[in-house]
Amino acid sequence: MSDVVSTQVQLAARPTGWPTADTFRTVQVAYGDLAPGQVRVVNEFVSVDPYMRGRMNDVRSYTPPYALGETMTGGAIGRVVESASDDVPVGAVVLHQFGWRDVVQEDAKGFQVVPEIPGAPLSLRLGVLGMTGLTAYVGLTAIAGLREGDTVFVSGAAGAVGTAVGQIARLLGASRVVGSAGTPEKVALLTEKYGYDAALNYKDGPVREQLRALTPDGVDVFFDNVGGDHLEAALDRMNDGGRLALCGAIAQYNDTSRTPGPDNLANVVTRGLTIQGFTLPSYLHLGAEFQSRMTEWFAAGKISWDETVVDGIENAPQAFLDMMRGANIGKMVVRV
Amino acid sequence: MSDVVSTQVQLAARPTGWPTADTFRTVQVAYGDLAPGQVRVVNEFVSVDPYMRGRMNDVRSYTPPYALGETMTGGAIGRVVESASDDVPVGAVVLHQFGWRDVVQEDAKGFQVVPEIPGAPLSLRLGVLGMTGLTAYVGLTAIAGLREGDTVFVSGAAGAVGTAVGQIARLLGASRVVGSAGTPEKVALLTEKYGYDAALNYKDGPVREQLRALTPDGVDVFFDNVGGDHLEAALDRMNDGGRLALCGAIAQYNDTSRTPGPDNLANVVTRGLTIQGFTLPSYLHLGAEFQSRMTEWFAAGKISWDETVVDGIENAPQAFLDMMRGANIGKMVVRV
């Protein structure tokens, strides 16, 4: 046993609009000897995710807001270096929610031991093989009720969730998958690597017009990570009985004024559409089903991925901001 | 057998914005002798409904648009005066969809013979005992999944559908029912006659603020006939997992420009809300279940109603316009 200093990133101030350098602060926390039942984990990767922006506001939501002076909690994966618990031995790879810190020392109950997956870097447990992949799977199945032959439109398609959505939709039998992204490079990746039949660059012109051209038979399922003009464009193109899974609205997370919604909600009535929002905590019971199917797909070589990796726990705030601005392809992670 | 002249109201021009006198024209149509299988029906009541406004536009919707020069089809009830069909005898009361005319002569297959209901004027077959009541029932059950103990908010609550929704919600176990209407008289009726616990006048101030005051425990089910500021107010107040049944958006039917949607759709994601639009043609299979329950409720004296009755088939256009402007309490019907 030994003392250790942990570098942690905390919420220093609640941002108005876009977070800035003043939003976060980096602190050193000293851990002493392990208490009975505790383990000490050295993180290898920590996750930065869009939902964290919502938790920086002091408003009611599905997860409680971060407290000021609280270390930014969230998904992370590391290895146990010291243990006072029989359940979580030294050397084990563990997933946890203690977030933005290089070392964490807590009761063993806060950690989930996971096997290493052949061919998969540990970081994929934070991405397509973890919560990100589960988010895509839940949205397509439990929320949107994807059926064979459906046409699927995905906004933010080159992001962590979007790259998973395209592949899973294809594996589940979608007949056409169309995505949106914000750079020519991303747009190319969608069709070349991620199973999309067509993709649009939302900076090239109105999404409404571009989507119409790419979906001659309309849209049955919309998986939305963006909101705003993407939701409006999708509502124009939905077929009767269409289903819209709202996973996020990154276009609006940093708005300081309220943004008007789509001007075509009347289509929800006349076309019998269902718009359903979801957040993952309500659907963790589908995790086992997802892991079983995803493990099979992954072992069969059917899953592609990209990661945008930023080094150094002290760079987590910048990684988070870059991700919110769309600088990432696939999952954005911080390598500790 | 004898010839007869039928007075019918046709669509003369597609309205832009609010329909006017030029939108409709009244014509005389001569019917000769019955062909084999035909019946002649003298209407007693014809229905004017909000969905008809949508059918006046030449756009894709769940029912085809009215053709120019086509008699305005829609719900009506009358009695058979001549018959060349064994299935539909003289004297029978029949429901049909031939709409705005005093006499109709068509194949017997277009008419549904219905029994008279003790204590119920025939017109109720167009209202709470018919499609209007079924709309309320479908929205609360199949769409919103009403559960015992739910708090329900209904917009346009003093209209045909709204007065049915309040009563059915209460009969199905809602713990609190709140409605909106546009006159003090209607607001009073909601609480005094229709089982509403509280009601607001949307002309008295922002719906958002009024609804907040009336729903201290939030809203579980929103039944929307209005759209616009009512939908926005409801989204503010929805509890986690809340369900919004969108039945109509009368606030926008005559808009000539597109109206922005609610500014708080982000709540759909964070609270896991489901917004589902519906139109009755997709849910007619629930008609038998509805008739069975509604007949029982009605016989037990548990159903109240109001009707706004306009006399004369030639006044159907004015009745329609008055209904669109909210002049009716309960169902608006034209007495032929």
Side-chain angles (χ1 to χ4, degrees):
Chain A
M1 302 258 211
S2 63
D3 290 356
V4 69
V5 172
S6 169
T7 300
Q8 311 194 351
V9 180
Q10 299 184 338
L11 184 67
R14 299 203 182 282
T16 303
W18 284 88
T20 65
D22 296 335
T23 304
F24 306 98
R25 71 167 159 245
T26 303
V27 299
Q28 311 287 321
V29 175
Y31 290 125
D33 287 347
L34 293 180
Q38 281 193 329
V39 296
R40 182 178 293 171
V41 170
V42 173
N43 280 336
E44 300 208 1
F45 295 95
V46 306
S47 186
V48 295
D49 298 287
Y51 79 86
M52 293 172 166
R53 179 63 189 85
R55 293 191 63 193
M56 295 177 196
N57 299 330
D58 190 16
V59 297
R60 164 189 161 187
S61 188
Y62 65 103
T63 45
Y66 292 118
L68 291 178
E70 177 185 351
T71 295
M72 294 282 296
T73 52
I77 193 162
R79 286 183 198 270
V80 178
V81 294
E82 291 190 21
S83 177
S85 161
D86 292 340
D87 299 330
V88 181
V90 169
V93 173
V94 291
L95 269 177
H96 62 86
Q97 290 290 321
F98 295 109
W100 295 8
R101 61 187 93 197
D102 56 1
V103 179
V104 54
Q105 183 167 315
E106 292 283 349
D107 192 276
K109 288 195 289 287
F111 301 89
Q112 177 193 359
V113 177
V114 292
E116 295 193 55
I117 299 171
L122 284 190
S123 52
L124 290 200
R125 286 278 193 187
L126 303 178
V128 70
L129 302 183
M131 290 298 175
T132 305
L134 178 58
T135 300
Y137 183 79
V138 164
L140 286 172
T141 58
I143 306 300
L146 181 71
R147 297 190 278 255
E148 283 194 29
D150 278 348
T151 294
V152 179
F153 174 48
V154 185
S155 66
V161 171
T163 48
V165 171
Q167 300 181 78
I168 295 174
R170 179 68 73 207
L171 288 164
L172 294 177
S175 70
R176 183 170 174 82
V177 185
V178 177
S180 81
T183 71
E185 179 191 11
K186 290 179 179 179
V187 167
L189 262 185
L190 292 180
T191 53
E192 291 163 10
K193 184 168 178 179
Y194 288 109
Y196 284 81
D197 296 284
L200 64 89
N201 183 339
Y202 63 81
K203 293 173 182 164
D204 281 352
V207 180
R208 226 165 183 156
E209 292 169 21
Q210 294 192 71
L211 182 63
R212 187 185 315 128
L214 296 182
T215 55
D217 297 323
V219 172
D220 302 298
V221 165
F222 175 44
F223 192 112
D224 192 16
N225 298 300
V226 173
D229 57 349
H230 284 77
L231 175 56
E232 198 166 66
L235 282 167
D236 268 4
R237 297 302 302 156
M238 297 308 294
N239 292 323
D240 290 356
R243 294 135 274 145
L244 300 90
L246 304 198
C247 178
I250 203 164
Q252 280 123 55
Y253 289 167
N254 292 296
D255 283 355
T256 50
S257 58
R258 288 181 173 248
T259 312
D263 64 13
N264 50 0
L265 274 178
N267 291 349
V268 175
V269 180
T270 56
R271 301 182 190 178
L273 307 181
T274 302
I275 302 176
Q276 188 170 353
F278 73 106
T279 57
L280 207 53
S282 303
Y283 294 90
L284 296 179
H285 57 282
L286 296 177
E289 172 186 323
F290 163 74
Q291 286 299 340
S292 161
R293 301 186 79 165
M294 178 52 83
T295 303
E296 194 173 305
W297 289 329
F298 188 84
K302 293 177 175 172
I303 299 295
S304 299
W305 72 90
D306 280 281
E307 291 181 317
T308 303
V309 180
V310 169
D311 280 300
I313 190 66
E314 68 281 7
N315 293 320
Q318 192 58 48
F320 173 78
L321 286 168
D322 288 348
M323 180 273 301
M324 294 295 288
R325 291 203 168 90
N328 56 306
I329 293 178
K331 183 81 176 88
M332 175 73 94
V333 291
V334 177
R335 182 160 47 204
V336 177
Chain B
M1 302 259 210
S2 64
D3 290 357
V4 69
V5 172
S6 169
T7 301
Q8 310 193 353
V9 180
Q10 299 183 338
L11 184 67
R14 300 205 182 280
T16 303
W18 282 88
T20 65
D22 296 334
T23 304
F24 306 98
R25 72 167 158 244
T26 303
V27 300
Q28 311 288 320
V29 175
Y31 290 123
D33 286 349
L34 294 180
Q38 282 193 326
V39 296
R40 181 177 294 170
V41 170
V42 173
N43 281 336
E44 300 208 0
F45 295 95
V46 306
S47 187
V48 294
D49 297 285
Y51 78 87
M52 293 173 165
R53 178 64 188 83
R55 293 192 62 193
M56 295 177 196
N57 299 331
D58 191 16
V59 296
R60 165 188 162 188
S61 188
Y62 63 104
T63 45
Y66 291 119
L68 292 178
E70 177 185 353
T71 295
M72 293 282 296
T73 53
I77 192 163
R79 285 181 198 271
V80 178
V81 294
E82 291 190 20
S83 176
S85 160
D86 292 341
D87 298 331
V88 181
V90 169
V93 174
V94 291
L95 268 177
H96 63 86
Q97 289 290 322
F98 296 109
W100 296 8
R101 60 187 93 196
D102 56 1
V103 178
V104 55
Q105 183 166 315
E106 292 284 349
D107 193 276
K109 287 197 289 286
F111 301 89
Q112 178 192 1
V113 177
V114 292
E116 295 193 56
I117 298 169
L122 285 190
S123 52
L124 290 201
R125 286 278 193 187
L126 303 178
V128 70
L129 302 184
M131 289 300 175
T132 305
L134 179 56
T135 300
Y137 183 79
V138 165
L140 286 172
T141 58
I143 307 300
L146 181 71
R147 297 191 278 255
E148 283 194 30
D150 277 349
T151 293
V152 178
F153 174 48
V154 185
S155 65
V161 171
T163 48
V165 171
Q167 300 181 78
I168 295 174
R170 179 67 74 206
L171 288 164
L172 294 176
S175 70
R176 182 171 175 81
V177 185
V178 177
S180 80
T183 70
E185 179 192 12
K186 290 179 179 179
V187 167
L189 262 184
L190 292 181
T191 53
E192 290 164 10
K193 184 169 178 179
Y194 287 108
Y196 284 81
D197 296 283
L200 63 89
N201 183 339
Y202 63 81
K203 294 174 181 165
D204 282 352
V207 179
R208 228 165 182 155
E209 292 169 20
Q210 293 192 71
L211 182 63
R212 186 185 316 129
L214 296 182
T215 55
D217 297 322
V219 172
D220 302 299
V221 165
F222 175 45
F223 193 111
D224 192 17
N225 299 299
V226 173
D229 57 350
H230 284 78
L231 175 56
E232 198 167 66
L235 283 167
D236 268 3
R237 299 301 300 155
M238 296 310 293
N239 291 323
D240 290 356
R243 293 136 275 146
L244 300 90
L246 304 198
C247 178
I250 203 164
Q252 280 123 53
Y253 288 167
N254 292 296
D255 283 355
T256 50
S257 60
R258 287 180 175 250
T259 312
D263 64 13
N264 50 359
L265 274 177
N267 291 348
V268 175
V269 180
T270 56
R271 301 182 189 177
L273 307 180
T274 302
I275 302 177
Q276 188 170 354
F278 73 107
T279 59
L280 207 52
S282 303
Y283 294 90
L284 296 179
H285 58 282
L286 296 177
E289 172 186 322
F290 164 72
Q291 286 298 340
S292 161
R293 300 186 78 165
M294 178 50 85
T295 303
E296 192 172 307
W297 289 328
F298 189 83
K302 291 176 175 172
I303 299 295
S304 299
W305 72 89
D306 280 281
E307 291 181 318
T308 303
V309 180
V310 169
D311 280 301
I313 190 65
E314 68 281 7
N315 293 319
Q318 191 59 49
F320 173 77
L321 286 168
D322 288 348
M323 179 274 300
M324 293 296 288
R325 292 203 166 88
N328 57 306
I329 292 177
K331 183 82 177 87
M332 175 74 96
V333 291
V334 177
R335 183 160 46 205
V336 178

